[in-house]
Amino acid sequence: MRRPNLLRALFGIVLLISTLLVRAQSSGVDLSGQDIPLVTKFPFRQYYGGVVVIRATIGEIPDTLQFILDTGSAGISLDTATCVRLGLKLTPSDRIVRGLGASRRVSFARNYKLNLPGLTVDSLDFHVNDYELISQVYGLQIDGIMGYSLLSRYIVTVDYDNEEIGIYQKGKVKYPRGGHLLKPSISNIPIVTAPLRNGKKTLDHRYYFDTGAGMCLLLCNQFVQDSSILVKKKNKVIQTEAQGLGGKMAMNITTIREFRIGPYAFRNVPTYLFDDITNITSYPSLAGMIGNDLLRRFNLVLNYDKREIYLYPNTHYRDHFDYSYTGLILYLIDGRIEVTDVIKGSPAEKAGVKRGTS
Amino acid sequence: MAISNNFSRNLQVYRDLLKNVGSRPTLLLMRGNELLIKKMVIRSIL
């Protein structure tokens, strides 16, 4: 009779120790006191799916602009309307930019300076894209996206606990204890290998490490079909909508039993399934993307120069996933919140909500 | 638009109000010049 009580007590102690360990690791990111000089630290704000928004200016123009920090961006970009408003000189190009649901030829705003708090980055070529829809989804003006062009020049820390970005000169880093070092391949966008478990299957595959995606996990449908990873009777698959470069995209959402990043396992992970019509995953090379609703649970050190990403659990590590489903798609348009779509057969449709309502 | 008597221009506020699985929030909506009240159940993807 005493054994179950002992086991329960032991389990309780183990749980307490593991909780304390995770709490002990959640005091932000600080690489000070090392050989790498700190360039600057500045605050950021988080929006839908934990997406990181940074304030900056361009050139000598005083207007404050809002950028998403996006490891899934292979460069740096500005919104078309913002370029027009600021009177930036645009140069047409033959360069094609590929994103979720669309690929398009882009112009460039060449050789401009980006002014972050405490740091000016010069000689940047911004490709120009339309971010009106993204602005409506997040409910704030998005003027641009910062990716590889900035991240490859420095060591960048993202502290989700204190909502603070740190920028350091390149050099040898001694990472804080208690985290995990990923060794991604980086060809403009980091790619990591991670195991995914569903039903009786476990599959190792490669994923973009994408802080610009406001969801946990995205899998391309080709991978889902070829791997037969979904279990028909167990996986509920529900129609929904998401936004990519090409605008609104019909997607499905389901949950995956377990997904691991390094030693960190997440169970019942909300997962979007999408048709990769622009072949951004180059499937079978990649299965999809790990998004910021998972990555925001870690404080990050992005060290592209050494092809290293260090992550350690922060205070959001045990945040509950969002499993809710209404089928109600809300955007902020001209300062008003509007129902832009109602998914067929969803609770919103059954309640009689119609698109165009505000 | 209002959700459960909360009026906001902050999308995140509404998204947070629509996260509580199993609840039935009241939506106050405007279609044209007409005000509507709808009750919608929040389902789970699990």
Side-chain angles (χ1 to χ4, degrees):
Chain A
M1 287 299 283
R2 285 183 64 194
R3 210 170 157 194
N5 286 337
L6 270 172
L7 280 174
R8 220 173 287 156
L10 193 63
F11 176 73
I13 290 165
V14 170
L15 194 72
L16 181 69
I17 290 169
S18 62
T19 305
L20 288 173
L21 279 174
V22 168
R23 286 210 177 139
Q25 291 161 16
S26 62
S27 54
V29 187
D30 192 7
L31 303 179
S32 59
Q34 301 194 28
D35 290 339
I36 48 167
L38 171 68
V39 178
T40 184
K41 279 192 176 185
F42 53 86
F44 67 84
R45 291 196 65 182
Q46 287 184 82
Y47 288 86
Y48 188 50
V51 164
V52 172
V53 175
I54 294 171
R55 293 182 157 204
T57 64
I58 298 286
E60 310 306 321
I61 302 163
D63 298 31
T64 302
L65 307 177
Q66 301 188 111
F67 287 81
I68 292 176
L69 184 75
D70 183 5
T71 55
S73 159
I76 190 164
S77 61
L78 279 166
D79 174 47
T80 313
T82 301
C83 290
V84 171
R85 180 164 52 86
L86 300 181
L88 302 185
K89 189 186 165 199
L90 303 185
T91 316
S93 80
D94 288 335
R95 174 102 178 265
I96 305 280
V97 169
R98 283 189 301 163
L100 263 184
S103 58
R104 51 176 68 128
R105 191 174 303 243
V106 290
S107 296
F108 277 83
R110 292 194 187 279
N111 200 22
Y112 279 96
K113 283 191 294 189
L114 175 76
N115 308 303
L116 293 159
L119 170 68
T120 294
V121 187
D122 59 17
S123 313
L124 286 168
D125 293 338
F126 296 79
H127 74 259
V128 179
N129 218 328
D130 191 354
Y131 295 138
E132 186 187 9
L133 194 71
I134 295 179
S135 300
Q136 291 173 355
V137 172
Y138 289 118
L140 82 160
Q141 173 66 32
I142 298 296
D143 296 298
I145 294 178
M146 290 177 195
Y148 183 78
S149 301
L150 175 78
L151 298 168
S152 58
R153 293 190 187 196
Y154 302 95
I155 295 168
V156 178
T157 59
V158 186
D159 177 352
Y160 289 94
D161 285 326
N162 300 306
E163 296 196 324
E164 190 176 63
I165 299 286
I167 296 192
Y168 297 81
Q169 294 290 0
K170 291 176 188 175
K172 196 176 176 190
V173 185
K174 193 179 169 197
Y175 296 105
R177 289 177 66 185
H180 180 75
L181 184 64
L182 296 174
K183 296 287 262 179
S185 60
I186 301 177
S187 58
N188 293 11
I189 299 173
I191 295 167
V192 295
T193 301
L196 179 153
R197 185 158 68 97
N198 201 51
K200 289 176 182 169
K201 283 189 177 175
T202 301
L203 294 171
D204 276 345
H205 220 299
R206 287 147 47 91
Y207 300 85
Y208 283 128
F209 186 97
D210 187 357
T211 61
M215 50 260 289
C216 290
L217 187 64
L218 289 103
L219 300 177
C220 71
N221 280 330
Q222 294 91 324
F223 165 71
V224 173
Q225 282 157 15
D226 289 355
S227 61
S228 308
I229 194 76
L230 295 187
V231 183
K232 270 189 183 170
K233 286 180 184 168
K234 287 187 177 172
N235 283 106
K236 208 194 265 186
V237 178
I238 295 168
Q239 194 190 336
T240 187
E241 187 184 290
Q243 297 73 32
L245 185 72
K248 297 173 188 177
M249 284 180 71
M251 290 194 190
N252 288 317
I253 188 164
T254 187
T255 50
I256 290 294
R257 190 171 162 203
E258 187 181 280
F259 188 76
R260 273 186 20 216
I261 309 172
Y264 308 109
F266 296 95
R267 304 203 82 189
N268 297 323
V269 180
T271 303
Y272 283 78
L273 313 175
F274 70 102
D275 268 329
D276 188 8
I277 53 173
T278 51
N279 199 25
I280 51 170
T281 59
S282 303
Y283 178 78
S285 177
L286 273 72
M289 298 90 144
I290 306 170
N292 206 44
D293 212 5
L294 279 184
L295 301 177
R296 70 180 179 82
R297 295 158 197 270
F298 303 93
N299 291 335
L300 308 175
V301 182
L302 305 170
N303 188 352
Y304 281 26
D305 188 43
K306 299 280 187 254
R307 295 179 184 275
E308 292 174 346
I309 294 177
Y310 189 76
L311 35 94
Y312 50 107
N314 62 29
T315 53
H316 302 288
Y317 183 69
R318 295 183 191 279
D319 282 0
H320 294 293
F321 290 125
D322 178 12
Y323 297 117
S324 64
Y325 174 68
T326 62
L328 191 65
I329 311 294
L330 300 175
Y331 284 19
L332 184 75
I333 301 174
D334 297 329
R336 282 162 64 113
I337 293 174
E338 206 170 285
V339 179
T340 55
D341 275 301
V342 177
I343 305 296
K344 216 173 172 183
S346 68
E349 192 195 54
K350 285 175 185 163
V353 182
K354 294 202 164 70
R355 70 182 283 193
T357 314
S358 60
Chain B
M1 181 179 195
I3 298 176
S4 301
N5 295 327
N6 289 279
F7 289 81
S8 177
R9 284 189 173 188
N10 186 338
L11 260 180
Q12 200 52 48
V13 170
Y14 285 177
R15 287 194 175 122
D16 288 342
L17 286 166
L18 295 173
K19 277 184 181 173
N20 194 0
V21 172
S23 67
R24 293 174 69 91
T26 306
L27 312 181
L28 176 63
L29 303 165
M30 184 174 261
R31 193 181 300 156
N33 287 327
E34 194 184 355
L35 276 174
L36 307 164
I37 291 177
K38 302 281 183 189
K39 257 195 167 319
M40 176 182 70
V41 66
I42 300 178
R43 297 265 182 230
S44 169
I45 59 167
L46 271 174

